[in-house]
């Protein structure tokens, strides 16, 4: 099958702003699934509310467009009832770590076999440019007109501490790298978290003198480095990319699957 077989072309052109990075994430996801040759009838994509959540409508898989912040809870329910399915949950930074924060940490704690794709554009893009838990200090937003005073979550460290057994970070500039990371995340047995740094020229860029999407991609190129690289060692302030945790921690996976098997047997 070709990549076009995995999308609902009738819904295109998409609704994302020119220069938005979410289209790149969609591209990476579709290409990763194509290369893995996963039957699209075996995939369920669940999403909440926000720009990133529109991915569930553009892919030609089983999909659930659910409540803001609750996509992981819905995905957990699907996994419990149909454990053979591949669950993928695209989320924005607010959807994942603000209203969805509790669901995020407990999905990681349980190590449920779900892949969470967090698109971090450091702002609420759809609802008016409010700051999110991923907005860096001093950044401008409609709810931070004099600059954000809060520290941002580090999604990688949060996921690791909460118990996710696969954690990775990449950017929309590094699309080929993103495809390979997504392939490993989907194949991993356990809770997988892939953070994509994604540009939002309309809200974050315009308010922070980075309105040009190409300039934001250049920022991702020059201000990130692979884990353990010379560039990362020489500059402790640079943001590292790659796979941070990749381990087969299956005790919770196995426990939940045992519960599911007993439930099915009981029926």
């Amino acid at each position: 099958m070709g990549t076009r077989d995995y999308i609902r072309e009738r819904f295109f052109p998409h609704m994302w702003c020119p220069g938005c990075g979410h289209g790149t994430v969609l591209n990476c996801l579709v290409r990763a699934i194509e290369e893995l040759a996963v039957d699209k009838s075996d995939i369920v994509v669940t999403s909440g509310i926000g720009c990133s959540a529109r991915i569930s409508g553009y892919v030609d898989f089983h999909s659930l467009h659910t409540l803001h912040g609750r996509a992981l809870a819905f995905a957990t329910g699907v996994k419990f009832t149909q454990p053979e399915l591949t669950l993928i949950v695209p989320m924005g930074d607010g959807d994942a770590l603000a209203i969805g924060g509790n669901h995020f940490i407990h999905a990681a704690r349980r190590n449920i076999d779900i892949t969470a794709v967090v698109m971090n554009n450091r702002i609420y893009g759809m609802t008016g440019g409010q700051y999110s838990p991923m907005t860096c200090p001093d950044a401008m937003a409609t709810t931070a007109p004099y600059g954000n005073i809060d520290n941002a979550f580090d999604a990688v460290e949060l996921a690791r501490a909460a118990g996710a057994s696969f954690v990775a970070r990449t950017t929309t500039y590094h699309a080929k790298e993103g495809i390979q990371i997504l392939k490993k995340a989907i194949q991993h047995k356990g809770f997988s978290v892939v953070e994509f740094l994604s540009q939002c020229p309309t809200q974050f860029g315009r308010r922070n003198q980075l309105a040009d999407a190409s300039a934001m991609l250049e920022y991702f190129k020059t201000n990130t480095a692979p884990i353990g690289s010379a560039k990362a060692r020489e500059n402790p302030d640079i943001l590292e990319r790659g796979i941070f945790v990749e381990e087969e921690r299956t005790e919770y996976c196995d426990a939940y699957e045992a519960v599911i098997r007993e439930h099915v047997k009981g029926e």
Side-chain angles (χ1 to χ4, degrees), residues 233-252:
R233 290 195 301 271
E234 293 164 4
N235 185 353
D237 295 325
I238 207 162
L239 198 63
E240 291 187 286
R241 311 184 323 273
I243 298 172
F244 292 81
V245 173
E246 185 180 15
E247 57 184 31
E248 290 294 333
R249 188 176 65 80
T250 62
E251 64 271 23
Y252 282 124

Side-chain angles (χ1 to χ4, degrees), residues 33-53:
I33 291 169
E34 180 196 24
E35 291 182 17
L36 289 173
V38 181
D39 190 319
K40 63 182 184 179
S41 64
D42 293 333
I43 300 172
V44 178
V45 176
T46 73
S47 62
I49 301 299
C51 302
S52 59

